[in-house]
Amino acid sequence: MKIIYALLALLISVVVMTSGCTTSEPEVEEMDIVDTAVNAGSFNTLVQAVQAAGLEDTLRGEGPFTVFAPTDEAFAALPEGTLDALLADEEALAAVLTYHVVAGEVMAADVAGLESAETVQGESVTFDTTDGVMVNDANVVQADIMASNGVIHVIDKVILPPSMMEEEAEEEMDIVDTAIEAGSFTTLVQAVQAAGLEETLRSEGPFTVFAPTDDAFAALPEGTLEELLADQEALAGVLTYHVVAGEYMAADVVTMDSAVTVQGSEVTITVTDDGVMVNDANVVITDIETSNGVIHVIDAVLVP
C-alpha cells in the first residue's frame, strides 16, 4: 500500500511540474531592407537597380536606414529609356538610389514633424503632410514597413536629385527635336528635311521660329504643299520666311512692328486685344524654349 501511495505522489509531482512548463515559440528573425523588398514582390526593379549600383551590401549593413522605396509601377512610369540609361550608368544610378535613402530610422510619425531630410546622396528631400505625406512630388502610399536595419516607406514615384533635374533642364532639345517631340509639326519637320534645312535648325542659332501646325499646312490650297515639296528652292524660301535670327520671346515680339526673316523679307507683327498676329497668322502658343532658340506656334503658313 505504501508503494502505491508513493507512486501516486510521484505521478502528481510530475503532472504539476509539466503543467508549469510553457513551450516558447521560436523567434522569427526580422529581414534586412533588401530581403524585405525582395519578399514584398513589388520592388523587383528597385532591387535590380540596387544590385546594379553595387549598393546591396550597404543596404544589408547595420544601418539603420530609412528608405523611400519606389514600386515597380513607379519605375515603369519613368520616361521611355530613362531606366535603361540609369542601369547603364552606375554612378548616376547610385546617385538616384541614395537620394531615396536617409541615414537613421525615420518613422511616419517623425516625418510629420520635419520639413526636409538630408539623404545619403547629399541633397535633401522635402516633406509635405498637408494631404497625406509627400516626399518631393511622390506620395507615400504605405509607411513603416520595419526591417532589421531600418524602415521602408513605399512611394509612387521615382524622385530625382535637384542637381540631376537641373542638368536635364540644361540638356534641352534643339528646335528640330522639340518640333518632333511635340507631335503637331509633322509636316513642318518633313518640309525642313526636304528643304535641307535640318542641320541649320539644329545649329547653335539662336533662332525664333514661327511654326505652322499640321492643320495650318493642311489648310493650304490643294496641291500647294506637294508643289513646294517638289521644289527645294521654293520650299526653302517659304520655310526661312518663318525664321528670324536671334531669340525673341513673346514679351519682345509684342514690342515689334515687324521682323526681318532669314529669307530676307519682313514679316509684320500686329498686336490687338485678341492676341498677336504675324502677317495673317494668329500666334496660338508662345515661348516654347529650345536649346537653340524659341518657337511660337501659328495657325497659318506664311508666304513671302
Side-chain angles (χ1 to χ4, degrees):
M1 197 70 174
K2 291 180 179 179
I3 294 173
I4 294 173
Y5 284 135
L7 288 172
L8 285 172
L10 178 62
L11 179 62
I12 290 168
S13 66
V14 170
V15 170
V16 170
M17 290 176 62
T18 304
S19 64
C21 293
T22 57
T23 303
S24 60
E25 294 183 3
E27 290 187 10
V28 177
E29 188 175 340
E30 205 171 20
M31 294 181 288
D32 63 32
I33 285 170
V34 176
D35 284 335
T36 301
V38 171
N39 193 59
S42 53
F43 304 108
N44 297 319
T45 309
L46 176 60
V47 172
Q48 177 192 4
V50 164
Q51 292 169 338
L55 295 173
E56 182 173 359
D57 287 345
T58 300
L59 290 178
R60 289 190 186 279
E62 185 176 351
F65 303 106
T66 298
V67 178
F68 298 101
T71 60
D72 290 336
E73 288 79 6
F75 277 101
L78 287 170
E80 187 175 353
T82 302
L83 179 58
D84 291 336
L86 285 172
L87 291 171
D89 185 341
E90 186 175 334
E91 184 178 352
L93 181 62
V96 170
L97 293 175
T98 53
Y99 187 61
H100 291 75
V101 182
V102 172
E105 191 173 82
V106 183
M107 305 299 291
D110 302 319
V111 171
L114 298 172
E115 292 182 358
S116 63
E118 185 177 340
T119 68
V120 173
Q121 181 263 352
E123 297 178 72
S124 293
V125 290
T126 59
F127 301 122
D128 184 347
T129 56
T130 305
D131 184 15
V133 179
M134 294 190 73
V135 183
N136 288 7
D137 57 349
N139 295 291
V140 175
V141 294
Q142 188 176 353
D144 294 349
I145 300 174
M146 299 306 301
S148 62
N149 61 341
V151 62
I152 296 172
H153 304 299
V154 185
I155 57 176
D156 64 357
K157 189 173 183 179
V158 177
I159 54 177
L160 298 178
S163 60
M164 190 172 290
M165 294 176 70
E166 288 170 8
E167 287 174 9
E168 286 187 354
E170 290 172 2
E171 294 173 4
E172 282 181 314
M173 294 181 290
D174 61 33
I175 287 169
V176 177
D177 283 335
T178 301
I180 292 171
E181 179 77 11
S184 53
F185 303 106
T186 305
T187 308
L188 176 60
V189 172
Q190 178 190 4
V192 164
Q193 292 169 337
L197 294 174
E198 182 174 359
E199 188 175 342
T200 300
L201 290 177
R202 288 189 184 279
S203 65
E204 186 176 352
F207 303 105
T208 299
V209 177
F210 297 103
T213 61
D214 290 338
D215 291 338
F217 276 101
L220 288 170
E222 188 174 352
T224 302
L225 179 59
E226 288 74 18
E227 289 177 10
L228 285 172
L229 291 172
D231 185 339
Q232 187 174 3
E233 185 178 351
L235 181 62
V238 169
L239 294 175
T240 53
Y241 188 59
H242 292 75
V243 182
V244 174
E247 186 175 80
Y248 297 96
M249 307 300 289
D252 303 314
V253 172
V254 297
T255 66
M256 302 161 65
D257 295 323
S258 62
V260 178
T261 69
V262 173
Q263 183 264 352
S265 304
E266 290 187 348
V267 289
T268 59
I269 297 168
T270 308
V271 181
T272 69
D273 292 337
D274 296 325
V276 179
M277 297 187 71
V278 180
N279 288 5
D280 57 351
N282 296 291
V283 178
V284 293
I285 301 176
T286 63
D287 293 349
I288 300 175
E289 294 188 69
T290 74
S291 62
N292 62 338
V294 62
I295 296 172
H296 303 300
V297 184
I298 56 176
D299 64 358
V301 177
L302 308 176
V303 179

